[in-house]
Amino acid sequence: PAFCTTCVAWSEDRRLRRKRVLSERKLAHYFVDHRRVRVVGGQGGGGGHSFYSEPRKIFGGPDGGNGGDGGHVILKADQQTKSLSSVLPFYQGFHGERGGSKNCYGANGACVYVKVPVGTLVKEDGIVVADLTQHGEEYVAAYGGAGGKGNRFFLSNENRAPTLFTPGEPGQERVLHLELKTTAHAGLVGFPNAGKSSLLRAMSNAKPAVAAYPFTTLNPHVGIVHYEDYEQVAVADIPGLIRGAHQNRGLGIAFLRHIERCRFLLYVVDLSVSQPWIQLQDLKYELEQYQKGLSKRPCVVIGNKIDLAQSRINLPLLKEQIDDRVIALSALTGDNLEELLLHLRELYDIYVKTEQSRGQSPVKW
């Protein structure tokens, strides 16, 4: 039957776009920043038990080979993985094969690689055992068992026909807790509806949800700011904090830990409310209560919504109350956004020089 090729292609394109674009509510469902996982290494293959025999050489002696080693379970940091939602609760390495005759060794079991986001913390019994902060970094979560020995291994002058062989050893078994802390250069910190998501949209290609109700952002978003010299600065939109967040109120500690990885902070305050400097005091207090010294990191205060009349009145009052640098802008209209981007690059350059002076490599995106 006749059909319209253009219409079919258009319908397919609509279907794919509808599948790709997830709402913020669905993204919150898929985003997972902690996971308990049980890992077991593969079991080693048993040793072989055989005796060589052929015409005119009936008593050829033992020729059972060793078994193969079991496969490891390896956690690998991957830049493309953004959540722990794809991590399963159980992983086991592949078993090694049994040793064969004619002194043939069994094949080693294949390793199982588990992709985790960059910034994943691995804990066992509350103790940090690994911190995967670089793309491609690996951690062996469970070692595979050693392969057993074949009867050829036990040949000696005293025992010319050994029948002894050993089974493969079981793999290592552990219960690990994975915790994701978003790795970004800068973190947008502010109360709900301060305009953090709108600002991230204006600065980068990230598309977090924007709406006129509190807690629009339910999981961290990372946007990349590109500069002409090809440097890239990662900016994380942290879900809005409220008073008492360090006591796990609101979204609480679940997202306060994402600020730990940020090298410098961008405090976003709403200039249109009365006494906007109170917001800054409350934000720094919550950060300091969560982790001592967190509020002392390099920062800049962003006075948002300067396009409103009340904001222009509050701006000089805010500058009088605080000592930090204040950049007034409008995330909605883009006014004075260039000043923020230039200062963001200054903070990034200072961070790079500081890391290099310590002999450490700065985080690159």
Side-chain angles (χ1 to χ4, degrees):
F3 60 93
C4 179
T5 307
T6 304
C7 294
V8 172
W10 180 77
S11 301
E12 182 68 14
D13 183 62
R14 278 193 63 188
R15 185 185 67 81
L16 291 175
R17 279 191 284 114
R18 191 184 303 117
K19 186 176 181 180
R20 284 196 301 265
V21 179
L22 294 175
S23 67
E24 181 71 13
R25 190 180 300 274
K26 290 181 180 178
L27 282 172
H29 174 72
Y30 291 128
F31 183 81
V32 176
D33 59 0
H34 57 89
R35 181 76 85 189
R36 177 183 180 273
V37 58
R38 177 170 161 256
V39 289
V40 181
Q43 182 165 344
H49 174 262
S50 66
F51 289 89
Y52 185 73
S53 178
E54 65 177 16
R56 295 185 299 277
K57 197 173 183 181
I58 301 175
F59 302 104
D63 67 347
N66 298 339
D69 297 333
H72 309 320
V73 178
I74 301 175
L75 304 179
K76 186 172 183 178
D78 180 62
Q79 191 73 55
Q80 302 300 320
T81 305
K82 303 302 181 184
S83 168
L84 293 173
S85 58
S86 60
V87 177
L88 302 177
F90 175 74
Y91 288 96
Q92 183 172 24
F94 289 92
H95 301 319
E97 292 185 5
R98 186 178 184 84
S101 59
K102 299 182 181 179
N103 297 319
C104 291
Y105 281 42
N108 294 334
C111 295
V112 173
Y113 286 87
V114 183
K115 290 184 178 180
V116 296
V118 174
T120 299
L121 211 62
V122 185
K123 294 182 179 180
E124 184 177 24
D125 298 327
I127 301 174
V128 177
V129 295
D131 190 0
L132 306 177
T133 58
Q134 300 289 336
H135 175 70
E137 193 173 356
E138 297 180 359
Y139 173 70
V140 181
Y143 286 93
K149 303 298 184 183
N151 64 335
R152 178 71 174 80
F153 178 82
F154 298 97
L155 177 65
S156 65
N157 290 332
E158 291 76 20
N159 188 1
R160 306 306 298 173
T163 58
L164 178 63
F165 62 97
T166 60
E169 296 182 2
Q172 184 183 18
E173 182 173 352
R174 303 170 72 185
V175 176
L176 302 175
H177 293 267
L178 308 184
E179 184 179 295
L180 173 60
K181 295 182 180 180
T182 302
T183 301
H185 298 118
L188 294 171
V189 183
F191 284 103
N193 282 67
K196 301 184 299 300
S197 297
S198 299
L199 183 59
L200 187 65
R201 277 175 167 257
M203 296 170 62
S204 66
N205 292 328
K207 301 298 180 185
V210 176
Y213 55 82
F215 300 112
T216 310
T217 303
L218 296 178
N219 59 77
H221 291 271
V222 178
I224 308 299
V225 181
H226 299 270
Y227 289 91
E228 291 182 355
D229 58 353
Y230 303 105
E231 283 287 359
Q232 298 181 132
V233 180
V235 181
D237 175 17
I238 309 298
L241 305 178
I242 64 173
R243 293 177 180 86
H246 70 280
Q247 298 173 341
N248 216 19
R249 295 179 182 174
L251 298 177
I253 295 175
F255 293 109
L256 268 171
R257 62 168 166 257
H258 290 281
I259 304 175
E260 292 182 48
R261 300 283 188 180
C262 299
R263 274 62 182 182
F264 38 91
L265 304 178
L266 310 179
Y267 294 102
V268 183
V269 298
D270 186 352
L271 284 177
S272 65
V273 302
S274 60
Q275 299 181 326
W277 54 89
I278 301 296
Q279 295 183 40
L280 182 62
Q281 295 173 5
D282 291 339
L283 289 172
K284 288 191 174 184
Y285 174 78
E286 293 299 329
L287 295 185
E288 197 65 24
Q289 291 299 309
Y290 173 71
Q291 185 184 92
K292 191 172 183 180
L294 190 57
S295 64
K296 301 296 191 296
R297 293 188 182 180
C299 68
V300 63
V301 179
I302 301 171
N304 194 20
K305 305 181 183 180
I306 193 62
D307 52 306
L308 302 179
Q310 186 61 38
S311 299
R312 300 190 190 96
I313 299 174
N314 290 335
L315 179 59
L317 301 177
L318 174 64
K319 291 182 177 180
E320 292 177 2
Q321 294 290 331
I322 64 175
D323 298 327
D324 299 316
R325 177 173 177 175
V326 178
I327 298 178
L329 53 78
S330 172
L332 181 64
T333 63
D335 292 345
N336 210 28
L337 187 63
E338 185 176 355
E339 181 182 353
L340 172 61
L341 296 178
L342 292 174
H343 187 64
L344 180 66
R345 179 58 190 270
E346 292 176 9
L347 292 173
Y348 173 75
D349 290 339
I350 294 173
Y351 155 71
V352 172
K353 291 179 181 178
T354 303
E355 291 296 299
Q356 290 175 345
S357 65
R358 295 174 180 173
Q360 300 177 357
S361 57
V363 176
K364 295 285 187 177
W365 281 73

